[in-house]
Amino acid sequence: MNLSIPRPHGEIAKGYFLAILASMTYGLNPMFALPLYGMGLDILSVLFYRYLFAALILGVIMAMRRQSFAIPRKAVLPLILAGVFFALSSLTLFGSYKYMDVGIASTILYVTPFFVAFIMAVFFKQKISGTGILCIVVSMAGIGMISVKQDSTIQNPFGIALVILSALVYAVYMVLINKTALNQMHIVPLTFYCIIVGLILFLICMNFGQNLTPMPLTVSGVYNVMGLAIFPTIVSLIAMTVAIQSIGPVPTSVLEAIEPVTALFVGCFMFGEVLTPLNLAGIAVVLFSVTYFVVSRHKT
């Protein structure tokens, strides 16, 4: 007999709405980052300001909720490692925006679940089914299709390598959260401290701030910096967390397909990026193969 208590329809609807909101807001990364590049900020400076204001906002949220800032002793080292990988994922993704179309980059980033499965198979002996392997092969073919530009040339290989590396590094971050003492931490303080680690890493890379480009104190500059810290960071984080609690990780993961679609929309209508029929077919192939892979692994 099934003794599970069904969730109210309102909570389920809220969960789906928040999952869509989280994916859409994360897809807005290029909308705020590219104008900052145009104002003369380099990648490290953009990420520093994003992380700085995100950390301040998260800290205020934790204080208002009277949430503990304490870190369990056994979580300190995994937290530092997770913060480094979290920051490297942002660095490589934002770096890819310099070399390729942002919509294409966000679509390639969607293959992160494949890297999670690969890491789990190598280090934790979790098998990948034949269907899973087929999904990975098909998605690689889709990436090849979306990499061909309108003039029949290929997207910058370095940009493609950066976004694939971003997906891999973020997969390591996700596994660290799942397989270490971090899985006992609340998502808000966990992300807060990961961002703090990232801030320190970026400061070191910028020679302790000596190479930091000043934040543009214009309406557009402040708008884009704060937009980057709030929408694809804070709003996306909180909405995704509540969505997972309301409808579960699988439906939430499937709805993450909206993120590359949002980025594609931003790239086309704000920055004049052009998609060919081959690109659109490749995008459909990637989204379908990853979604099917996530659902099939959940059923298994």
Side-chain angles (χ1 to χ4, degrees):
M1 182 171 63
N2 184 8
L3 298 179
S4 62
I5 301 174
R7 294 181 182 274
H9 292 299
E11 183 179 350
I12 294 174
K14 180 185 74 172
Y16 278 100
F17 169 77
L18 290 174
I20 293 171
L21 176 65
S23 297
M24 289 183 65
T25 50
Y26 193 78
L28 298 178
N29 266 315
M31 185 175 83
F32 301 111
L34 294 189
L36 291 172
Y37 290 163
M39 296 175 195
L41 272 71
D42 58 89
I43 298 167
L44 285 171
S45 296
V46 169
L47 287 173
F48 175 82
Y49 292 123
R50 177 195 183 187
Y51 275 45
L52 174 63
F53 288 104
L56 290 174
I57 295 170
L58 279 174
V60 170
I61 290 173
M62 290 174 63
M64 292 177 63
R65 296 172 61 179
R66 296 184 178 178
Q67 206 160 13
S68 174
F69 284 83
I71 305 173
R73 183 176 299 179
K74 60 182 179 180
V76 173
L77 180 58
L79 186 57
I80 293 173
L81 291 174
V84 170
F85 283 109
F86 189 77
L88 289 177
S89 177
S90 296
L91 184 62
T92 47
L93 176 63
F94 277 56
S96 71
Y97 294 163
K98 289 275 191 177
Y99 299 96
M100 63 185 300
D101 294 348
V102 295
I104 300 299
S106 296
T107 304
I108 296 175
L109 185 68
Y110 190 58
V111 303
T112 298
F114 292 147
F115 287 112
V116 173
F118 176 77
I119 294 169
M120 297 299 290
V122 172
F123 295 100
F124 299 97
K125 309 303 180 185
Q126 289 191 8
K127 294 183 178 180
I128 303 177
S129 66
T131 301
I133 294 173
L134 178 62
C135 287
I136 294 172
V137 173
V138 170
S139 71
M140 292 302 105
I143 290 175
M145 295 165 66
I146 65 178
S147 298
V148 180
K149 296 195 290 187
Q150 189 178 28
D151 58 1
S152 298
T153 59
I154 302 295
Q155 294 277 347
N156 189 303
F158 184 64
I160 296 174
L162 281 176
V163 73
I164 290 176
L165 180 59
S166 179
L168 173 60
V169 171
Y170 192 74
V172 175
Y173 164 78
M174 293 175 69
V175 172
L176 279 170
I177 290 177
N178 183 257
K179 292 297 181 180
T180 67
L182 299 180
N183 63 10
Q184 302 298 318
M185 288 187 65
H186 190 279
I187 189 67
V188 174
L190 170 63
T191 306
F192 172 77
Y193 283 113
C194 284
I195 289 175
I196 294 298
V197 172
L199 273 174
I200 296 171
L201 181 64
F202 296 145
L203 277 174
I204 294 172
C205 292
M206 293 185 295
N207 196 16
F208 294 95
Q210 293 186 29
N211 298 326
L212 175 66
T213 304
M215 177 178 163
L217 297 178
T218 61
V219 173
S220 178
V222 173
Y223 164 79
N224 284 292
V225 167
M226 296 305 297
L228 194 58
I230 293 172
F231 293 105
T233 309
I234 303 300
V235 173
S236 182
L237 162 69
I238 295 176
M240 186 68 71
T241 303
V242 178
I244 290 172
Q245 294 171 343
S246 300
I247 62 176
V250 174
T252 304
S253 297
V254 171
L255 288 170
E256 285 180 1
I258 295 172
E259 182 266 321
V261 173
T262 303
L264 286 164
F265 181 87
V266 169
C268 291
F269 291 93
M270 291 193 64
F271 303 110
E273 297 176 357
V274 178
L275 295 175
T276 67
L278 181 63
N279 295 153
L280 293 172
I283 290 164
V285 167
V286 171
L287 297 183
F288 175 79
S289 60
V290 176
T291 301
Y292 187 83
F293 177 79
V294 171
V295 173
S296 63
R297 278 184 66 82
H298 173 67
K299 290 180 178 178
T300 302

